[in-house]
Amino acid sequence: MDNSAKSKGLGRLCLTRAILQVAHAAEEIGIYALVLDAIDERAGQRYMNLDFGFRAFLDDPNHLYLPIETVRSACRSVGSTSRALYLAETEDCTC
């Protein structure tokens, strides 16, 4: 994320959009989990603290994943926040 965009909630919005896209894709194809590679330990901790439910692989704390059931659960909770859902699905976000 560019420094000018930090602390504006855009990272969370981009991640929310990615999670929604994975949930939609999982309706059509077999998906076990969403995998995320954090650039460093600090970034990995930031993702772990977002309350999406990321877990670290045992062999690499910067290699994170969300089981598809957690993804679906996150989408249901995002769905209750209609503005976030609307933005995540309709904005031309180049995340």
Side-chain angles (χ1 to χ4, degrees):
M1 178 99 15
D2 186 73
N3 285 334
S4 66
K6 287 186 177 178
S7 300
K8 295 183 180 179
L10 296 176
R12 181 181 280 273
L13 179 63
C14 289
L15 183 57
T16 300
R17 181 177 181 181
I19 289 171
L20 288 169
Q21 288 174 323
V22 168
H24 290 302
E27 293 174 7
E28 301 294 325
I29 61 174
I31 295 177
Y32 176 75
L34 178 151
V35 176
L36 185 147
D37 289 313
I39 196 163
D40 57 28
E41 285 185 34
R42 195 170 121 204
Q45 255 335 108
R46 219 174 10 247
Y47 286 115
M48 298 282 277
N49 292 334
L50 286 175
D51 297 326
F52 282 110
F54 279 102
R55 301 176 192 173
F57 282 96
L58 296 176
D59 63 340
D60 183 355
N62 296 335
H63 198 143
L64 310 176
Y65 71 99
L66 279 174
I68 195 61
E69 289 307 317
T70 306
V71 169
R72 288 183 178 128
S73 176
C75 286
R76 284 191 291 275
S77 67
V78 168
S80 66
T81 310
S82 59
R83 183 174 186 278
L85 181 62
Y86 172 79
L87 288 173
E89 289 183 334
T90 61
E91 288 295 310
D92 186 23
C93 181
T94 54
C95 304

